[in-house]
Amino acid sequence: MSTTKTNLLGLDSQAITAHFAAMGEKPFRARQVLAWIHQRGAQDFATMTDIAKGLRQRLEEEAVIEAPRIVGDSVSQDGTRKWLLKVDGKNAVEAVFIPEPSRGTLCVSSQAGCTLDCAFCATGKQGFNRNLTRAEIIGQLWLAERLLTEATPKRSPAGQARHVSNVVFMGMGEPMLNLEEMIPALRLMLDDRAYGLSRRRVTVSTSGVVPGMDRLAAECPVALAVSLHAADDRLRDQLVPLNRKYPLKQLLAACNRYLERAPRDFITFEYVLLEGVNDSEAQAKALCGIAKQVPCKFNLIPFNPFRGTEFRRSSPDAQRRFAEVLQHAGLIATTRRTRGEAIDAACGQLAGRIADRTRRAELRA
Ligand code: SAH
Ligand code: SF4
């Protein structure tokens, strides 16, 4: 007989109901435990006081509620908080909480490393080890909610939110290459008995994995961000190597298919501004051409440097000019304010600690 206990943290409503049915327990018991875990952040079955003692004891023997272990917790001056989370003996991933007056955004990871190797990304440069499990994905939100609500009141003195109102999959990894584990985790985020986030407040960001976009649209449509970074295939091939497999024409068609099911009527295009590479006015004009093909908004991200990179951030002037070209064409373009830089928590700086199986770092040395 196996002595491995079931980790209830990763079970969505359907899965936990099935698990309880196999134990001979009624569905409403499963729903109660689900709420204890996700709404009240319970880790210990003994605290679940409205559950019969016998069942609590049995759960203690057969199950656990186990999230990644926190091995780093740093707070930047602007309130951004970064956690380093150990997911196994060799790998740790990062999650970042970004408080603002009107919302609290948690940026979560989907993989330990990334296979895709985009030219300007610290995660990509680290190589890849493995997909995170559904428990490790939802565990980031579970932990953040617990840790943030530990600190009362709900708002910090500066008036910033202290709970998670939005989740973005913009941490480490490519979520569309781990949909098997992503989808149950997303369902928990949306479930009223768990976190109850609306589909519009959960954003999956992809570098353009076309089949994944179609699958997500069919199984669990949430808001979608697509990392564009270039308006033509020649440059995009260089910056996002996955473009060689799914070039712009296919990607843009997939965006339009996604919109048929999406909770929002636009795609967010992310565009990292790299000095002298993709930040000219001509390139901004070419982006306007793309916006004619897909209803979209632009999120311009000033490049965040990391050790060993040859790219540089566009000057504030170039950033402004680029945004203005888009805005003058009637498009919505916001430039992301860089947060948490001092603790390496900004976009693309997340590197965690991963045991690279691709030997990428070695090949580069
Ligand atoms: N793999 C997914 C999600 C994680 S990356 C994707 O690529 O979309 C989240 C965002 O950070 C992406 O838009 C990515 O292009 C951007 N990014 C990566 N490296 C960056 C860097 N060094 N500076 C700024 N943004 C970066
Ligand atoms: Fe992977 Fe996204 Fe980084 Fe590209 S930008 S290497 S897809 S995490």
Side-chain angles (χ1 to χ4, degrees):
M1 199 185 84
S2 163
T3 52
T4 320
K5 294 183 175 183
T6 307
N7 187 3
L8 300 187
L9 188 61
L11 303 189
D12 63 13
S13 178
Q14 212 185 352
I16 198 166
T17 309
H19 185 77
F20 271 54
M23 288 171 70
E25 294 289 339
K26 299 235 157 54
F28 85 93
R29 288 285 176 221
R31 288 197 294 271
Q32 271 180 309
V33 172
L34 191 79
W36 270 106
I37 298 173
H38 299 287
Q39 292 185 342
R40 299 164 88 160
Q43 183 158 36
D44 187 350
F45 296 109
T47 61
M48 301 182 181
T49 43
D50 56 359
I51 310 275
K53 215 166 179 180
L55 174 55
R56 277 192 262 156
Q57 264 163 7
R58 192 167 163 209
L59 287 169
E60 258 163 55
E61 283 155 23
E62 298 174 9
V64 283
I65 300 162
E66 198 172 85
R69 200 158 61 78
I70 301 163
V71 289
D73 185 344
S74 33
V75 185
S76 171
Q77 277 209 324
D78 62 15
T80 302
R81 187 163 170 188
K82 180 174 85 166
W83 293 288
L84 182 65
L85 305 169
K86 194 156 189 192
V87 289
D88 56 47
K90 291 185 185 154
N91 299 289
V93 300
E94 292 179 319
V96 178
F97 178 68
I98 306 145
E100 287 173 284
S102 57
R103 61 180 167 195
T105 304
L106 184 71
C107 177
V108 294
S109 296
S110 56
Q111 299 182 309
C114 186
T115 55
L116 295 178
D117 202 15
C118 296
F120 49 82
C121 175
T123 305
K125 297 291 156 232
Q126 279 248 313
F128 174 75
N129 191 277
R130 69 169 173 86
N131 282 329
L132 296 187
T133 65
R134 53 198 79 186
E136 289 161 348
I137 298 171
I138 199 69
Q140 297 169 65
L141 176 55
W142 182 82
L143 275 172
E145 283 285 29
R146 269 169 67 105
L147 292 163
L148 293 166
T149 47
E150 254 174 23
T152 47
K154 287 257 175 204
R155 285 181 183 280
S156 69
Q160 293 175 325
R162 275 228 181 123
H163 84 103
V164 178
S165 63
N166 296 61
V167 175
V168 296
F169 281 86
M170 295 182 188
M172 297 168 65
E174 171 49 56
M176 296 292 189
L177 293 180
N178 186 18
L179 285 180
E180 214 42 45
E181 300 299 312
M182 278 288 295
I183 287 171
L186 287 171
R187 291 205 172 114
L188 277 170
M189 291 179 184
L190 304 176
D191 193 334
D192 282 336
R193 289 182 185 277
Y195 301 90
L197 295 173
S198 89
R199 290 181 187 277
R200 302 158 143 257
R201 287 178 176 269
V202 178
T203 302
V204 170
S205 174
T206 180
S207 55
V209 182
V210 166
M213 291 162 67
D214 288 329
R215 182 170 169 200
L216 190 67
E219 294 189 31
C220 192
V222 292
L224 183 68
V226 172
S227 296
L228 209 55
H229 310 316
D232 63 86
D233 281 321
R234 210 166 57 87
L235 180 58
R236 199 164 188 273
D237 279 352
Q238 310 259 303
L239 298 177
V240 184
L242 183 70
N243 194 65
R244 294 173 208 155
K245 195 161 178 189
Y246 306 113
L248 280 168
K249 191 160 177 253
Q250 282 186 39
L251 177 58
L252 300 181
C255 288
N256 280 318
R257 288 197 299 279
Y258 194 89
L259 284 173
E260 289 169 20
R261 301 274 190 98
R264 290 190 182 272
D265 54 11
F266 61 89
I267 301 284
T268 301
F269 283 135
E270 295 162 277
Y271 195 97
V272 175
L273 288 167
L274 305 163
E275 185 173 73
V277 175
N278 68 352
D279 64 348
S280 73
E281 291 184 37
Q283 283 159 325
K285 284 191 184 128
L287 266 192
C288 299
I290 287 200
K292 290 203 178 98
Q293 301 170 54
V294 179
C296 62
K297 289 185 183 174
F298 288 95
N299 196 337
L300 305 175
I301 315 172
F303 172 64
N304 293 308
F306 50 88
R307 214 156 51 112
T309 183
E310 283 161 16
F311 292 104
R312 285 184 309 271
R313 178 183 294 183
S314 304
S315 68
D317 237 25
Q319 290 178 28
R320 189 180 40 77
R321 277 201 307 272
F322 197 92
E324 278 171 7
V325 172
L326 300 174
Q327 287 155 357
H328 286 159
L331 301 168
I332 295 177
T334 47
T335 306
R336 198 179 287 173
R337 204 153 56 89
T338 297
R339 301 277 306 253
E341 259 180 309
I343 53 170
D344 281 348
C347 261
Q349 291 184 320
L350 303 189
R353 279 192 219 138
I354 71 139
D356 181 22
R357 286 202 284 124
T358 63
R359 296 179 56 234
R360 195 174 294 148
E362 205 176 305
L363 295 172
R364 251 183 251 286

